[in-house]
Amino acid sequence: MSNPKRPQTHLSSACLAVAALAVLAAPDHAAARGGNERAIASIETRTAGEPIVAIVSLQRQRITIYDSSGWILRAPVSSGQRGRETPAGIFSVIQKEAEHYSNLYDDAFMPHMQRLTWSGIALHGGVVPGHPASHGCIRLPFDFAERLFDLTQPGLRVIVAPLDVAPVEITHPLLFQPRPGAAALAAARKAEAEEATRKADQAKLAAGTAFREAMQAMVPARTAENLKARAEAQLAATETALGAATSAEARQQAEDAKAALTARVAELQEKWSAAKAELQPKQDALAAARDAASAAETVRATAADAARQATRGLEPVSVLISRKTQRLYVRQAFEPIFDAPVTIQDADRPVGTHIFTAMERESDTIRWSVVSLEGSHGQGAIEPHGAASGSRGRDAAPIPREADSAKAALDRIVIPQDVLDRIPGIAPRSSLIVTDEAPSTETGKGTDFVVVLSGEPQGGIKFRRREPAIAYGFARGYGYARPRPFFSGSTFRAPFSTW
């Protein structure tokens, strides 16, 4: 799809030919889109809450969005085709862009893009034919992509599962809980910051008032000083003329002028002294007001920083425990906090991959759910061709699995107390990932943890070159668009290719 913001360029005969084929295929695309839109489901038995986790089933070619109480939205998807499969694993939304154009595939239009990796895996609107068809991205029905875009925020956990899975509630002593009084502390720090800001603003106003009063008092002092200097210059000139006088008449005139100017200088000296006497308290008050404003600004900055730190303690925290590296990693707000060694008992035996999500706060505790990922094991769970096979059972709800394997994985983990003490307080949408895998190389600046299942096809991510986090979409708003470099000699791609 061409970019309406760019001038139209000359189409080659090959492009014209393929464009004609795309027009001929339009009825099928329209039909597929209409059917997909009708397949979108929403919870109707209750009011939906904030999305907390999204689960994409590669087997069912379906995405399901969950809030703290269960599923709220469900729609078909089209994942990566054979050889360019969407990698199964754990991701999160790291950038949002309502109007995105591909840098790799002839400026292809990808509306309501929600980026999952800097190498180019994303959720976005597109044609969903009923089977895997993309180059690695997850296509959503256009209307659903727009709807989901408006509901989500950066950091939303996105789980790409080989099979069909759903969260189940779980309790376990190792699942972290909020720090006691964290919310009250954040509220107190916020109130202190607001009060410090109010006082700093008042101090600035007082300094401004003192400055204006000092400037007003300075006017008569400067005026008297300038007039006095001018009179003194005239007096000096008169004294010179008196010394040079050759006649009695000229001498008398010079003496009269000297007397008048001497009196004038004395008068102006008195006025200048009085003006300076009135100015000095104003200047002293201005200096004191500026010192007070500076001190108040220092207090404000300190209180604001304390409030930010306390509020940050309420932001979601991500913890990853890797059996492969025998380490625990902590990230918050897309930034690493620390990592430390942990002990996983019977370390040669797999623990699986489990994503524990803090669903909601209940008094001083957090409710947790878990999703345990299982590989397709070559059983034909992902069928890249044939709409019928791809849509089989798509409307059926995923069957939640028991949390026994997840609890068994947690039972094998020993975290030193000093490491536990360093983990920030847990808030809703926090997560704990326990996995056999190491953190993916996609984990980096501007991301949450990315874990890719090593036993599943990774075609859609292997051939992509990871790009740096040029800017964080969550920091600059959903409309941020990264610069698009110029690619010369690009080859033609299919009209609905991804990224």
Side-chain angles (χ1 to χ4, degrees):
M1 185 173 294
S2 63
N3 184 344
K5 295 181 179 179
R6 295 187 178 180
Q8 295 296 318
T9 58
H10 177 67
L11 289 174
S12 67
S13 58
C15 291
L16 288 173
V18 179
L21 292 175
V23 171
L24 291 175
D28 294 335
H29 293 151
R33 172 171 174 166
N36 289 332
E37 299 300 343
R38 288 192 294 273
I40 297 172
S42 303
I43 190 71
E44 296 179 352
T45 57
R46 61 181 176 84
T47 301
E50 177 187 10
I52 290 180
V53 64
I55 300 179
V56 176
S57 169
L58 297 177
Q59 178 190 44
R60 289 277 179 87
Q61 289 291 285
R62 181 177 68 184
I63 185 172
T64 305
I65 314 300
Y66 294 86
D67 67 3
S68 62
S69 299
W71 79 274
I72 55 175
L73 287 172
R74 185 173 289 150
V77 303
S78 183
S79 62
Q81 58 189 279
R82 187 182 298 276
R84 297 176 181 266
E85 295 88 352
T86 302
I90 305 164
F91 308 87
S92 61
V93 174
I94 59 177
Q95 184 192 45
K96 298 180 64 170
E97 190 177 333
E99 184 178 338
H100 180 79
Y101 295 85
S102 172
N103 279 339
L104 298 181
Y105 301 121
D106 294 323
D107 221 25
F109 184 40
M110 300 176 180
H112 302 103
M113 184 273 293
Q114 301 194 57
R115 184 188 295 274
L116 303 183
T117 72
W118 290 116
S119 63
I121 303 296
L123 305 167
H124 64 79
V127 170
V128 181
H131 57 83
S134 80
H135 281 125
C137 284
I138 300 165
R139 295 187 198 162
L140 311 173
F142 289 100
D143 290 352
F144 181 82
E146 180 178 8
R147 180 177 181 183
L148 184 64
F149 188 92
D150 293 337
L151 291 177
T152 62
Q153 57 180 303
L156 173 72
R157 177 70 70 201
V158 179
I159 300 171
V160 180
L163 305 179
D164 202 20
V165 294
V168 293
E169 192 158 344
I170 183 173
T171 58
H172 192 278
L174 193 64
L175 292 174
F176 313 115
Q177 293 298 326
R179 295 188 183 278
L185 176 63
R189 293 290 183 265
K190 180 181 178 181
E192 291 171 0
E194 291 174 347
E195 177 64 15
T197 298
R198 184 185 65 82
K199 290 182 177 179
D201 291 341
Q202 289 180 342
K204 289 178 182 177
L205 289 174
T209 299
F211 176 78
R212 289 191 297 273
E213 292 178 351
M215 292 302 100
Q216 291 172 355
M218 189 175 290
V219 171
R222 287 286 177 85
T223 301
E225 183 181 16
N226 291 337
L227 291 175
K228 174 178 171 291
R230 188 182 304 171
E232 287 174 340
Q234 292 174 346
L235 178 60
T238 300
E239 289 176 342
T240 300
L242 179 60
T246 57
S247 65
E249 182 179 0
R251 189 175 184 83
Q252 184 61 48
Q253 290 177 351
E255 288 178 350
D256 293 342
K258 179 181 177 181
L261 288 170
T262 300
R264 176 64 172 163
V265 168
E267 178 186 359
L268 292 173
Q269 177 66 46
E270 184 177 349
K271 287 184 177 181
W272 183 39
S273 298
K276 287 199 299 181
E278 185 177 349
L279 173 61
Q280 190 59 50
K282 305 292 186 182
Q283 290 180 325
D284 294 342
L286 174 59
R290 283 177 169 170
D291 289 343
S294 178
E297 177 59 24
T298 299
V299 172
R300 185 208 64 76
T302 301
D305 183 64
R308 280 192 298 270
Q309 294 298 327
T311 302
R312 182 186 176 96
L314 300 179
E315 293 179 357
V317 176
S318 295
V319 180
L320 185 147
I321 298 175
S322 168
R323 184 179 68 89
K324 184 173 184 178
T325 65
Q326 294 286 303
R327 296 189 73 82
L328 174 148
Y329 307 84
V330 181
R331 295 178 77 88
Q332 189 175 39
F334 291 2
E335 293 289 345
I337 303 300
F338 74 92
D339 63 275
V342 295
T343 300
I344 299 179
Q345 299 171 349
D346 195 6
D348 293 334
R349 183 163 54 91
V351 295
T353 294
H354 312 276
I355 307 95
F356 304 86
T357 304
M359 303 299 286
E360 67 177 349
R361 187 188 302 271
E362 293 182 347
S363 184
D364 289 331
T365 62
I366 286 283
R367 282 180 50 235
W368 287 86
S369 70
V370 64
V371 173
S372 296
L373 294 185
E374 298 179 9
S376 57
H377 305 296
Q379 298 174 358
I382 304 173
E383 303 177 34
H385 298 291
S389 61
S391 60
R392 185 184 304 127
R394 181 177 290 151
D395 295 334
I399 301 175
R401 293 173 171 80
E402 296 295 331
D404 294 346
S405 63
K407 290 181 179 178
L410 293 176
D411 288 340
R412 293 169 54 190
I413 297 171
V414 179
I415 304 176
Q417 187 60 48
D418 63 320
V419 175
L420 287 172
D421 292 341
R422 294 174 62 190
I423 297 175
I426 299 301
R429 295 196 302 119
S430 295
S431 63
L432 167 64
I433 301 169
V434 177
T435 179
D436 295 311
E437 313 287 350
S440 167
T441 55
E442 292 286 343
T443 301
K445 185 176 181 180
T447 78
D448 204 327
F449 289 115
V450 177
V451 176
V452 178
L453 299 188
S454 57
E456 295 297 312
Q458 299 175 20
I461 200 171
K462 277 190 173 181
F463 73 93
R464 297 168 183 268
R465 183 174 60 188
R466 187 179 188 277
E467 298 181 6
I470 296 175
Y472 297 175
F474 67 88
R476 297 199 178 190
Y478 296 164
Y480 173 77
R482 61 188 177 93
R484 281 182 264 160
F486 174 75
F487 291 92
S488 60
S490 62
T491 56
F492 177 80
R493 304 286 181 179
F496 297 105
S497 58
T498 60
W499 215 255

